[in-house]
Amino acid sequence: MENTEKKYELRPLVASDMGAICKIITAIGAKQFKDCFKVEDFKKGGNVEELGFNIVFDIVGIILDNFPRAEEEIQAFLASLTGKKVKEIKEMPFADYGEMIMDVVTKEDFKDFFKRVMKLFNR
């Protein structure tokens, strides 16, 4: 049987993580992230949970499409969240690395952050 135990633990997001998230968004391009939040979807009264789920997948796609632009920022952010060194993040097995990125963007506090952003667009 395959050992699926994670070799890392993600700490909760805190206010000081905003700078790292902003660096990633800036490196990738803020417009691409802005395009995830379609104001008309919120005004139609769509299900916020469903919209949030779709946004998370859009964000994952944007990160993967633009990974080379923000690689250093992403790796530094992952190191910060796990307590690992950037070198350790860079040397992770490919599948584990991808899983870690998914774990971050599907974290409850990460999703909560984007739900709050969505509420701002819905005003």
Side-chain angles (χ1 to χ4, degrees):
M1 181 180 252
E2 187 178 322
N3 181 6
T4 58
E5 185 178 326
K6 295 200 187 295
K7 297 176 176 103
Y8 57 87
E9 187 173 320
L10 298 173
R11 67 165 171 75
L13 293 173
V14 294
S16 62
D17 291 323
M18 183 62 75
I21 292 170
C22 288
K23 282 183 179 181
I24 292 168
I25 290 171
T26 300
I28 288 173
K31 178 165 178 9
Q32 290 191 46
F33 283 98
K34 179 184 170 279
D35 290 345
C36 291
F37 301 93
K38 297 173 184 78
V39 175
E40 54 279 355
D41 290 345
F42 300 104
K43 290 187 177 181
K44 289 179 191 172
N47 179 327
V48 174
E49 291 295 321
E50 185 178 319
L51 289 171
F53 182 76
N54 291 335
I55 289 170
V56 166
F57 276 102
D58 288 346
I59 290 170
V60 169
I62 289 167
I63 290 170
L64 294 176
D65 286 346
N66 295 280
F67 188 80
R69 289 185 188 170
E71 184 173 9
E72 289 180 24
E73 290 84 357
I74 291 169
Q75 290 170 344
F77 183 51
L78 294 175
S80 168
L81 289 176
T82 61
K84 292 182 176 288
K85 296 183 184 317
V86 172
K87 183 179 189 305
E88 293 175 283
I89 299 294
K90 289 180 178 185
E91 294 173 351
M92 287 181 72
F94 186 72
D96 293 346
Y97 185 64
E99 184 177 3
M100 183 184 284
I101 291 171
M102 284 298 295
D103 286 347
V104 171
V105 298
T106 58
K107 266 178 81 59
E108 277 308 310
D109 44 351
F110 193 83
K111 290 190 291 188
D112 184 53
F113 168 77
F114 282 100
K115 283 181 196 172
R116 290 171 189 235
V117 170
M118 288 187 312
K119 286 180 184 177
L120 293 174
F121 282 105
N122 200 22
R123 288 185 177 181

